[in-house]
Amino acid sequence: MKKKIAVAMSGGVDSSLTAALLLEQGYDVFGVTMTLSDDSREAGGSTAVADAKKVADTLGIKHYVVNYHAEFQKNVINYFIREYARGRTPNPCVACNNKIKFGALLEDCLKLGADAVATGHYARIEYDENYRRYVLKKGLDTHKDQSYVLYTLNQFALEHFLLPLGNYTKTQTRQLAEKLDLPVAHKPESQEICFIPNDDYKAYIKTKAPHILKAGDIVDTEGNVLGRHEGVPLYTVGQRKGLGIAAAHPLYVTGLDVKHSRVIVGENSATLAQGLVAQNLNFITKDDFTAPFTTTAKIRYGNRECECEVSPLADGRLAKVIFKEKQRAVTPGQSVVFYDGEILVGGGVIKQVIK
């Protein structure tokens, strides 16, 4: 009997090709499009639904639309606003993958009779005999690798997900979509957060959460007042542009003090950190975290990896990470993700910075 696969279809070229490839490989495929919020574009706007349906009709597969507005509001939007209110920089794609795509969607698709769910992420899932478990590997296209935003996956999710595009480059994906005459083959790629119009998170906060904004001072590392700001959540560590301060040399945001409503700025050297402490840890290649290990890490999507030593704190509930070379703009709220070559070891959320 054919395996039944649900494909999370956003109306974009990646998820559309995912469905087409699995169909070619002989699977029984159906498409599912999630609507996530009224502001959402890629992951659930009316255009996304229409484009996904058009592709499903072209492929001759069933297409369902599922409403996750309540789950998305609770687990992604509320979290997004809450983190900014705390002076942290959230990672909504990680939260969405963890709670929605690889959480609620997986659960519902299995109830619909699917054996597994597939997405268009550029990463690879394999069963590794050495680890005796499923592992997550980087996508072969180093420029498109999306393993970083998938570090929260557990063994159950890894066992029930397919990522067919992990073995392709983006160029090959476009070529295959053209070859298969997919109606979205030339649809432009979107990089922004799906629920933030025009990629303007500041305007979004001003409109949706003005209550978290409180004016205050912009100060240097000595506490001298250099200017005023409209709210700490409108700034991120490492930011240079938009400070509205005249200075003899470039200034960067080096810290955010929510308690006193202060944005702290300094020279570029003041943005460098020796390490960090991470919380909300998830390890894919190990069951426990009781001993230090040396690895490489990324402190944000798109960053190059850096060598580091990772040590357990608080009985393994926290991780202390010390970099071989100081890193710029280590940002609380973002994720630190550990790698062993191609294999993703695990990761966590940056709790505090070690200068």
Side-chain angles (χ1 to χ4, degrees), residues 93 187 241 314:
C93 294
K187 188 173 178 177
K241 293 180 179 178

Side-chain angles (χ1 to χ4, degrees), residues 264-277:
I264 304 157
V265 298
E267 295 186 25
N268 190 40
S269 59
T271 69
L272 299 176
Q274 193 63 63
L276 60 87
V277 174

Side-chain angles (χ1 to χ4, degrees), residues 229-247:
H229 65 78
E230 293 180 299
V232 170
L234 304 179
Y235 297 83
T236 56
V237 174
Q239 178 181 333
R240 177 185 170 186
K241 293 180 179 178
L243 298 180
I245 300 170

Side-chain angles (χ1 to χ4, degrees), residues 130-147:
N130 293 326
Y131 286 107
R132 289 205 218 167
R133 64 178 62 211
Y134 288 92
V135 296
L136 181 68
K137 290 185 172 182
K138 297 174 184 174
L140 289 186
D141 187 336
T142 53
H143 298 293
K144 279 294 294 178
D145 169 49
Q146 292 171 303
S147 59

Side-chain angles (χ1 to χ4, degrees), residues 174-248:
R174 290 278 185 198
Q175 290 170 346
L176 281 168
E178 285 177 16
K179 187 179 174 184
L180 294 169
D181 289 325
L182 295 181
V184 294
H186 300 286
K187 188 173 178 177
E189 194 166 1
S190 180
Q191 301 282 0
E192 301 86 11
I193 299 168
C194 72
F195 62 94
I196 305 292
N198 306 313
D199 198 29
D200 189 347
Y201 92 91
K202 294 180 182 181
Y204 183 85
I205 287 176
K206 287 177 181 178
T207 304
K208 302 286 186 179
H211 61 281
I212 71 170
L213 299 177
K214 180 185 173 186
D217 293 325
I218 299 177
V219 301
D220 63 18
T221 50
E222 304 296 318
N224 300 308
V225 177
L226 304 180
R228 295 282 290 172
H229 65 78
E230 293 180 299
V232 170
L234 304 179
Y235 297 83
T236 56
V237 174
Q239 178 181 333
R240 177 185 170 186
K241 293 180 179 178
L243 298 180
I245 300 170

Side-chain angles (χ1 to χ4, degrees), residues 36 72 75-76 91-102:
L36 301 177
F72 193 76
N75 294 299
V76 182
N91 205 325
C93 294
V94 170
C96 182
N97 285 327
N98 186 27
K99 298 290 188 179
I100 311 297
K101 287 178 187 165
F102 296 84

